Amino acid sequence: ASAPRKVLGMLYLTNYRLKFKPAEPVEDAFSIFLPAIAEAGDVSRLLVRKCRLTMQDGTFIDFIRWGVASVIDAVNRARNDARTLD
C-alpha cells in the first residue's frame, strides 16, 4: 500500500464547487461539485487538523488545515444552497 499524497495548495469555495489549486504547477488543480459531497466531517487527531469530504459514491478526500469547524460549516452551507439552486 502506498501512503496518501500530500499536496500544498489553496481551497476556494464557490456557489457550486470547492476548488483546489496546488502551490506547485506540476500538480493538477481540481474541483468538486458541491451536490456530489455527501458529508463534511472533522477527522482531526492530536495536532493534525483534518476535514474529510465524503462523496455520494463513498470515496473521500482529506484536507489538512487549521479552522476545520469553519471550513465544514462553510461547505455545508454552500452545499445546501447549491441543492436549492438546482
Side-chain angles (χ1 to χ4, degrees):
S2 62
R5 288 184 35 214
K6 293 182 179 127
V7 179
L8 294 175
M10 295 289 293
L11 279 176
Y12 301 94
L13 184 60
T14 70
N15 291 351
Y16 288 102
R17 295 190 173 277
L18 181 69
K19 295 181 177 185
F20 176 78
K21 183 176 180 188
E24 296 189 22
V26 294
E27 298 290 341
D28 291 329
F30 65 88
S31 68
I32 302 167
F33 189 52
L34 290 175
I37 299 172
E39 181 182 6
D42 185 349
V43 291
S44 301
R45 292 190 183 225
L46 299 175
L47 296 177
V48 179
R49 301 288 161 226
K50 285 188 193 180
C51 170
R52 175 170 289 173
L53 301 180
T54 305
M55 307 307 147
Q56 298 289 345
D57 66 0
T59 60
F60 65 87
I61 186 167
D62 292 342
F63 294 99
I64 300 173
R65 60 165 292 130
W66 290 102
V68 169
S70 61
V71 171
I72 291 170
D73 289 341
V75 167
N76 284 332
R77 271 195 316 273
R79 182 171 53 113
N80 290 333
D81 291 346
R83 286 184 180 149
T84 59
L85 293 175
D86 257 352

